Amino acid sequence: MNYLQFVKSNKYLLLFGFLCVFLGNLGQTFFISLFNKDLIANLLLEKDNLSLVYSVATLISGFTLFFVGAKIDDIPVKKFTTLVVIGLVIACVIFANSTNLWMLFIAYLGIRLCGQGLMTHIAVTTLMRYIPNHRGKAVSLALQGMGAGEIVLPIMAVHLLLNYGHTSSWHLYALVSSIVMFPFMMWCLHKARLEPIKRDTDGVEALAENNDWSRRQVMADWRFWLILPAIIAPAFLITGIFFHQTLLVDGKGWEIEWLSITLATYGVIHVVGALVTGPLVDASHPRKFLRWYLLPLILGVACLWYGQSDWWLLAFMILAGTTVAANGPVVNSFYAEVFGNTHLGAIRALVSAVMIISTGIAPYLFSLFDDINLFLAFAFAYGAVCMLLIQKKILAEKT
């Protein structure tokens, strides 16, 4: 089945996944960090204090996701999505009106949990469960919502911030989420009627009976913990770099306008790369791609580390975007291929929780380095070690 036929057959469910991921960009570090300078100025904060609050809120959201994310296996998708969107809108309003660290902490917690964590979790889990024979294409298409956000949102956010300020910007995000995005998402679910599960699951049940893992079994397999650092590496490293992106740009003597342009390029690469990777994963086993998908990111970090010209920032965005594009279809297809569908929500919640915890640690950890080049050296070394760990067949598969 080619892309056009696949999209026509599953258009409403795919659009639902796309919208979930797009809305979840409100909780992504690349977006939130654009407001750091205003927060530091308005709340009279130190850089390290802001990083600490963000990190602690993200850590708690990761632990919360471990339990809340598993509920998608039991709660209907419409109800689960409704509760998550309500939480995200409330968090946006609190963020808009934050006047002290406690309000900022609550806002970060809600935006990170409901945005970065649960919106993407809803999209990917739903699509992998109801379109099991084309997981790679389904996930890659839904994750275009993140790429679209990376292209559109930074430029829009900078414009709104410069012209209307932090508070009005986030009130607008809350308003659009509640009266535009949410009704559209519910309409897509209504039109989809979960028909893909009837069309695409022929013969999948027998496979699932023999291959399904529980979350407890996954956690008991030592091989899983050896590949986990590689799975979370893109989120961990890119969060650490993106959270301090304005400081990195200032330290290198580059312009923030150039940063917004390269971020848009990163989004384009994310979109195109995912479209290419999805069918390749469906035609093969994701294990083959898992071993090498970190290489572009490692090379991109090296570009930032050694480069002084602002063109090296563009090189980083292109290479990092390539790894992130592959991450969605490769890693998520790997979960389903190896662990099965029955406890997919719980297993994804486990990995997503660890991933979010790592993104909570990254901003504060990177802020402890006195020199930008030191944390880039650390990022390069971490990525290289992770890629070495997954070269052997230490994957969590039943023997």
Side-chain angles (χ1 to χ4, degrees):
M1 182 184 294
N2 62 36
Y3 257 125
L4 182 59
Q5 292 172 323
F6 174 69
V7 171
K8 288 175 66 176
S9 299
N10 302 280
K11 55 183 178 291
Y12 295 115
L13 200 55
L14 290 171
L15 183 56
F16 168 75
F18 176 91
L19 293 172
C20 284
V21 175
F22 184 86
L23 186 57
N25 281 311
L26 295 180
Q28 295 288 348
T29 299
F30 81 86
F31 185 73
I32 296 174
S33 63
L34 293 170
F35 300 87
N36 284 0
K37 280 189 175 180
D38 278 68
L39 289 171
I40 290 172
N42 294 340
L43 300 182
L44 302 177
L45 296 174
E46 296 292 334
K47 170 179 70 73
D48 291 350
N49 290 338
L50 182 66
S51 298
L52 181 60
V53 170
Y54 185 81
S55 292
V56 172
T58 302
L59 286 170
I60 295 175
S61 74
F63 285 114
T64 306
L65 179 64
F66 178 82
F67 301 101
V68 176
K71 298 299 181 182
I72 199 171
D73 291 334
D74 308 310
I75 299 175
V77 176
K78 281 187 179 180
K79 182 177 180 181
F80 194 85
T81 304
T82 300
L83 294 173
V84 172
V85 172
I86 290 172
L88 179 60
V89 169
I90 292 172
C92 289
V93 173
I94 296 173
F95 193 48
N97 296 285
S98 293
T99 56
N100 55 62
L101 282 178
W102 284 109
M103 291 182 70
L104 186 61
F105 168 76
I106 294 171
Y108 274 154
L109 177 59
I111 292 171
R112 294 292 277 163
L113 173 62
C114 297
Q116 183 208 26
L118 289 172
M119 291 308 302
T120 302
H121 182 61
I122 290 169
V124 174
T125 304
T126 301
L127 291 175
M128 288 200 300
R129 178 166 285 145
Y130 293 122
I131 315 178
N133 290 342
H134 302 280
R135 294 186 185 104
K137 288 195 288 288
V139 171
S140 65
L141 285 169
L143 291 180
Q144 300 314 301
M146 187 176 294
E150 290 160 352
I151 296 169
V152 174
L153 292 179
I155 296 172
M156 182 192 73
V158 170
H159 173 76
L160 290 175
L161 185 59
L162 292 175
N163 289 280
Y164 301 101
H166 166 86
T167 300
S168 296
S169 296
W170 280 89
H171 280 150
L172 180 61
Y173 302 144
L175 186 66
V176 172
S177 299
S178 56
I179 69 172
V180 178
M181 297 292 289
F182 176 66
F184 197 12
M185 288 157 60
M186 291 298 103
W187 177 79
C188 289
L189 276 182
H190 173 73
K191 295 292 289 185
R193 302 183 186 278
L194 301 184
E195 292 176 357
I197 195 171
K198 298 175 182 177
R199 272 199 315 271
D200 288 289
T201 54
D202 294 340
V204 173
E205 291 83 356
L207 176 62
E209 289 176 3
N210 296 322
N211 200 40
D212 282 11
W213 288 61
S214 69
R215 185 158 70 179
R216 180 173 295 182
Q217 287 176 306
V218 172
M219 294 176 69
D221 191 325
W222 62 271
R223 295 169 297 177
F224 168 75
W225 298 104
L226 283 179
I227 65 167
L228 188 59
I231 291 175
I232 67 171
F236 172 63
L237 296 179
I238 291 175
T239 295
I241 293 170
F242 277 10
F243 188 82
H244 298 289
Q245 60 189 346
T246 54
L247 298 175
L248 173 64
V249 167
D250 288 344
K252 294 281 190 176
W254 301 334
E255 298 294 330
I256 193 167
E257 290 81 7
W258 178 244
L259 173 63
S260 67
I261 292 171
T262 58
L263 279 171
T265 305
Y266 170 86
V268 171
I269 297 298
H270 191 170
V271 168
V272 175
L275 289 174
V276 172
T277 306
L280 294 175
V281 172
D282 285 339
S284 182
H285 197 292
R287 283 177 299 176
K288 296 179 180 178
F289 298 92
L290 189 64
R291 293 193 181 97
W292 298 104
Y293 89 111
L294 287 179
L295 182 59
L297 175 59
I298 296 169
L299 295 175
V301 172
C303 290
L304 277 188
W305 186 10
Y306 286 105
Q308 295 302 318
S309 166
D310 55 9
W311 289 102
W312 288 107
L313 178 60
L314 180 62
F316 165 77
M317 293 296 184
I318 292 171
L319 290 165
T322 301
T323 287
V324 173
N327 179 261
V330 170
V331 172
N332 286 291
S333 294
F334 172 78
Y335 300 150
E337 289 284 344
V338 174
F339 304 127
N341 264 338
T342 304
H343 305 287
L344 190 57
I347 293 169
R348 282 206 79 258
L350 163 64
V351 182
S352 296
V354 177
M355 182 269 292
I356 290 178
I357 289 169
S358 77
T359 63
I361 295 171
Y364 187 67
L365 176 63
F366 281 38
S367 73
L368 297 179
F369 291 97
D370 294 329
D371 183 81
I372 291 171
N373 288 322
L374 288 178
F375 81 64
L376 291 174
F378 168 79
F380 179 85
Y382 178 88
V385 170
C386 287
M387 196 171 74
L388 288 174
L389 283 175
I390 55 175
Q391 292 310 302
K392 294 185 178 181
K393 293 186 178 180
I394 51 174
L395 307 177
E397 297 175 276
K398 287 184 176 179
T399 55

